[in-house]
Amino acid sequence: MVAAWITAAAVAACILSEWLHVRRTRRLAFLAFGESGRPRAWVAAAAPVRVLAVGALCWGLVVLFTSDRTPWNPNALVGGKAAGFRHLMIALDVSPSMQLTDAGPVGTQRRAERARDVVRSLLDRIDLARTRVSVVAFYTEARPVVIDTFDPEVVANILDDLPLEHAFTPGKTNLHEGVKVAADAAKGWLPKSATLLIISDGDTLPGKETPTLPAAFAGALVLGVGNPYHGLYIDGHSSRQDGDSLRQLALRLGGQYFDTNTKHVASADLAAFDRFLPPSSRIDAGLREAALGAILGGASVLAALCVALAVAGGHRASHVLERSEGYGSTDGHALRSSERATHVLVPSPSGES
């Protein structure tokens, strides 16, 4: 809306300028274009083209200027919160139970696939240019996979069926170990600069005390995948999403639990975490690319129009001064044009032009 109003004001000012320009240069037409007093036919389109070019240039600049003005200063704090990039720590369950097929809206996805889709949906709605993503994989123990990456493709590669479970000794899932390793990795970060994201089915969640999160974490999201009502047999027991245990874990961590087995985290719920996770500053539907194109096109048209008017705006016969003796002309054409222009410009003693 701001870009539209500013662009409209710039276009209105340009139209007024073009109108004033036409009025002030009309009396110079015979001096500029000869006896006919008219330029070439295409020059009539110069004014509207210039107005459109100015509008495109102004709109593109305003869109880019208002898209994201947050300074990148990771060591600065504003109101107790980091002014630069934020940290997103993802604790990812890679236990064999995550390979069971009972997830998704119709129950035909593996839990790991559903976890991948949920995390991708969340990453698409935060500003990855100002967020550093870390991934900790946990099973019987936990190990960091990547710390503070700014490349979303690295995270996508980890989520796309990377066989991380083979890096652990088989046994019972230890979710608390994943929280502990994530907490250890964040000890050097600024206070309130990180968010912990845990995604798991909650199967065989240990009952021991939950590790304490360091001051770096401002909040936590616990996301559950897998059917919470009907279990599938694995490793001698029936495995299903343990929503109650995941909800208790979220409360102990000071965060929130969401059942994402059939639906993603709603944007309205995610908005509550704007102070923890910067919302996406990416302009929707390629608007940033459109703004860059408008700037390039508008500036190019304005520059080319000036050259075109100077080179090909007038008729060849419109040159008043000829290369003959002084200001004279052998055929009298330039003299007539000059006299006519002088008659227009210089008022007579009686006040008539």
Side-chain angles (χ1 to χ4, degrees), residues 95-135:
S95 62
S97 63
M98 293 291 288
Q99 302 303 320
L100 296 177
T101 304
D102 64 346
V106 294
T108 57
Q109 278 187 302
R110 291 184 291 111
R111 297 176 186 178
E113 293 176 347
R114 182 60 183 173
R116 175 197 62 197
D117 293 345
V118 170
V119 173
R120 280 182 172 177
S121 172
L122 189 144
L123 293 178
D124 286 340
R125 287 177 284 169
I126 66 174
D127 187 0
L128 289 179
R130 294 169 51 208
T131 307
R132 297 296 181 263
V133 182
S134 304
V135 178

Side-chain angles (χ1 to χ4, degrees), residues 90-94 135-145 164 167-169 172-184:
I90 302 175
L92 181 65
D93 188 347
V94 296
V135 178
V136 169
F138 65 88
Y139 176 18
T140 53
E141 52 185 345
R143 294 176 182 173
V145 181
L164 295 173
F168 302 96
T169 303
K172 298 295 184 180
T173 305
N174 190 344
L175 196 155
H176 287 176
E177 188 65 21
V179 177
K180 180 179 180 299
V181 172
D184 292 339

Side-chain angles (χ1 to χ4, degrees), residues 1 45 177 205 212 243 254 276 309 312 341:
M1 184 60 69
E177 188 65 21
L205 187 67
T212 303
F276 304 148
L309 288 174

